[in-house]
Amino acid sequence: MREDKTLAQALESRGVSRRAFLKYASYVATLMALPPSASRVIAEELAKARRQSVIWLSFQECTGCTESITRSMSPTLEDLIFDFISLDYHHTLQAVSGAAAEHARTEAMKANKGKYIVVVDGSVPLKDGGVYSTIAGITNLDMLKETAKDAFAVVSVGTCAAFGGIPHANPNPTGAVAISEIITDKPVVNIPGCPPIPEAMTGTLAYLLSFGKLPELDAKGRPLAFFGETIHDRCYRRPFYERGMFANSFDDEGARKGWCLYKVGCKGPIAYNACATLKWNGGASFPIQSGHGCLGCSEPGFWDKGGFYEPLAAATAKLDIGVGAAAVAGVAAGAAAAELMRRKKSAAVDAANSKKKDG
Amino acid sequence: MRSHDAADCCADAVTGLAEAVLSEIADLLDQFAASGAQSSIDLSGLPMTDADREKLAQRLGRGEVQATLDVAGQTDVWETQYAGVWWVRHFGGNGQVISEEIAITHVPAILLTHREDARAAAERLRKACEVLEATTAADQSSAERDSIHA
Amino acid sequence: MDLLDFARGPALQIGLYVFAFGVAFRLASLLLLPRLKDLSAARKGAPGAVVASGREIIRRMWPQSVYAEATRFTTINGYIFHLGLAIIVFLGTPHILFLKGLIGVSWPGLPTNIINGVAVITFLSLIAALVHRLQSPVLKAISTANDYITWLVTMLPVATGLLAISHLGWRYETLLAVHILSIAVFLIWFPFGKLMHAFLIFLSRGTTGAHLAHRGAQL
Ligand code: SF4
């Protein structure tokens, strides 16, 4: 629920000083690649702000996104965000369920009309009237439309919400679509990833909170601060790529020596995300550092890009039979053409001969 | 020749960024000295390797002031051997550096006490005094009682 | 499906089908043509057909001394971009991986920056070839649309590949998609334009050699 106290006032009693705000602000400024001078503004704005009402809707998803954002928390600086927001509805995390939970959602919508943020993880199935995913008897489609109607902004968290993700993968049996295909009259921020980097979620929320507007987005609706560069751009294995030193399989010498994973299917060159810089689990590692190529999970259709272990340079269509058939057809057509020529020629010879005879 | 064996081959590579940052700091310090214009550089935003950072820290050295803050995790602040050039290093919950900057200023903002914090502290101190007065008063009266009984 | 998915999927698929069909068609229609038997007896001391065609192929690798000066530029520049193209296509790692996907075998490649260097040289060499063609009155007079289209579809993959590796212009995935699309165009044009010389040149030179030797030409 929206509170009357400012965040500073509310947190004061818990011993959270303005220094903590300032420190959090420099953290956010760093995350969002803002100039350091912005951190003072962020700190002031955050201190003045009220707790931000957030309604979190989970549709066709695996709860990995929620896992990811809650894992960013050891009671420290990074999760001050949970003091800044009021998570008014999140059916996985909240204690109440059923009618009481739905009541909490509608109450929060009423109390914060036009000001609350809707966070969505999971895609929305459209096929057969959306029956493939319902909550409290309400289809995801209806709940999304109803909840987003009076929202200030919608944040699609995870690749399923952002781009359809795994439910949308071939053959997409439920007709799953991305949130942005349904909500077209409101700003939608996409924070894709399977799951997304927790800092990308919290950083974006903190930005929304302190500036009251969306951060700069790329053409796919992703905050540029986190999705402005590819994994390949910032990959520490890049020098090996340039030198042509590749792992050819997962247990060869190259793999053991930490060479580039391009040949074993790394999608880093086309994957925009911050894994190579922010890394995972408190900066411990990220897939490439742990020896596996990037899956490109923050990109639309990452599930259907021709196989995780197929190199980016390979054609994705199955070709062997088709190319063979085309070649055979070519030979046949060529033979027919040659035959045609032969007949023409012998016809001409015959004609000439008969002319000679006649003459 | 260095081997390519280490998986984190590049953490200890020196890219020359330290020198670039150093000369930028020199420019900013000139401006600060001349006009008092304060500024800062976000080190975490630069693609510096650990070795680069180490090199920069060495070049800048340590000056007269060092402080350790306990604000939602640790923060280390020190003035480098160049007066007015401060290094601010914020640690997150798990001891990881979450943000790091060079501040060219009189004193980094994080060290200053915010008026609002002072106001809240004043309130708390007032309350503490009241409690203290009340308890001393109570002590006194009970002491008086004791002496009467004696 | 985004542009890159389209390029890596249907575009390459169509390109390769057309390429396979076209090349097979052209070769079959040529080789299966009825050939007149040469009834004349070979000249005394004439080498066999195989040796003669081999000799002719080698002999034509370099111009005869009378023509050396006149064709120096074409010869040298021609070698530069042909070798360049071969190095890029067969020794660039992404290209090896692409070929591996088609034929199942692979071999070691060259470092990226060497390939980049070769690509720049090839690019310049191709430009020079066009400039030369336009400046030489004779060449210009005998050039047809086929020549220019062939030049263009050869140039495009080189140019877009260079843009892609240097991340110039668009974002990388778009550049990569455009690069792959240019390959698809190249593959489609290949059998029907002058690119077919890759298959036919040694065939025709060999045939000529065998023919001439049979008649006793001393080369
Ligand atoms: S491992 Fe992947 S992201 Fe890293 S350099 Fe190789 S291809 Fe690029």
Side-chain angles (χ1 to χ4, degrees), chain A residues 232 235 237-238 241 260-262 266 268-269 288:
Chain A
H232 186 69
C235 179
R237 296 196 186 207
R238 182 70 179 268
Y241 173 89
C260 170
L261 299 164
Y262 185 84
C266 184
I288 290 171

Side-chain angles (χ1 to χ4, degrees), chain A residues 230-242 245-246 258-271 276 286 288-289 292-294 312:
Chain A
T230 64
I231 301 298
H232 186 69
D233 285 337
R234 299 300 293 270
C235 179
Y236 74 96
R237 296 196 186 207
R238 182 70 179 268
F240 295 123
Y241 173 89
E242 302 297 348
M245 298 160 89
F246 298 98
W259 292 354
C260 170
L261 299 164
Y262 185 84
K263 283 190 175 182
V264 286
C266 184
K267 304 293 182 292
I270 57 160
F286 73 112
I288 290 171
Q289 193 176 346
H292 195 287
C294 168
L312 195 53

Side-chain angles (χ1 to χ4, degrees), chain A residues 47-302:
Chain A
K48 275 195 296 200
R50 321 272 148 166
R51 286 186 87 187
Q52 171 68 49
S53 170
V54 170
I55 298 178
W56 184 303
L57 302 175
S58 298
F59 296 146
Q60 282 183 308
E61 46 86 44
C62 69
T63 314
C65 299
T66 296
E67 281 281 339
S68 179
I69 194 170
T70 52
R71 281 301 173 279
S72 72
M73 101 194 267
S74 40
T76 53
L77 182 81
E78 291 92 322
D79 45 83
L80 263 180
I81 188 72
F82 293 99
D83 293 308
F84 296 161
I85 63 172
S86 161
L87 202 48
D88 292 331
Y89 175 88
H90 186 308
H91 72 220
T92 314
L93 297 179
Q94 71 196 142
V96 294
S97 59
E102 296 316 309
H103 182 69
R105 180 170 61 87
T106 44
E107 276 302 295
M109 285 165 57
K110 240 187 272 163
N112 305 294
K113 200 168 169 186
K115 293 176 193 146
Y116 60 90
I117 293 175
V118 176
V119 175
V120 190
D121 64 334
S123 60
V124 173
L126 295 184
K127 203 164 156 194
D128 301 329
V131 296
Y132 296 108
S133 180
T134 61
I135 296 163
I138 311 171
T139 65
N140 291 170
L141 180 64
D142 289 343
M143 187 180 279
L144 174 64
K145 280 188 172 163
E146 185 202 326
T147 315
K149 198 175 65 204
D150 293 322
F152 155 62
V154 177
V155 181
S156 295
V157 146
T159 302
C160 296
F163 304 130
I166 293 167
H168 179 270
N170 244 340
N172 190 3
T174 64
V177 299
I179 303 309
S180 55
E181 284 182 42
I182 298 166
I183 306 298
T184 46
D185 57 345
K186 274 201 199 316
V188 178
V189 184
N190 287 331
I191 307 179
C194 193
I197 297 180
E199 286 87 345
M201 297 188 257
T202 56
T204 304
L205 285 177
Y207 186 96
L208 272 169
L209 222 61
S210 19
F211 292 102
K213 59 169 189 184
L214 305 186
E216 224 187 307
L217 306 177
D218 73 358
K220 289 174 182 159
R222 303 175 290 195
L224 274 175
F226 303 103
F227 300 92
E229 287 176 307
T230 64
I231 301 298
H232 186 69
D233 285 337
R234 299 300 293 270
C235 179
Y236 74 96
R237 296 196 186 207
R238 182 70 179 268
F240 295 123
Y241 173 89
E242 302 297 348
R243 270 180 259 156
M245 298 160 89
F246 298 98
N248 289 304
S249 70
F250 284 109
D251 55 358
D252 72 349
E253 195 204 356
R256 272 191 293 274
K257 289 187 169 172
W259 292 354
C260 170
L261 299 164
Y262 185 84
K263 283 190 175 182
V264 286
C266 184
K267 304 293 182 292
I270 57 160
Y272 290 81
N273 207 340
C275 306
T277 43
L278 290 177
K279 303 196 180 175
W280 284 84
N281 298 325
S285 182
F286 73 112
I288 290 171
Q289 193 176 346
S290 306
H292 195 287
C294 168
L295 303 183
C297 73
S298 57
E299 294 299 319
F302 82 102

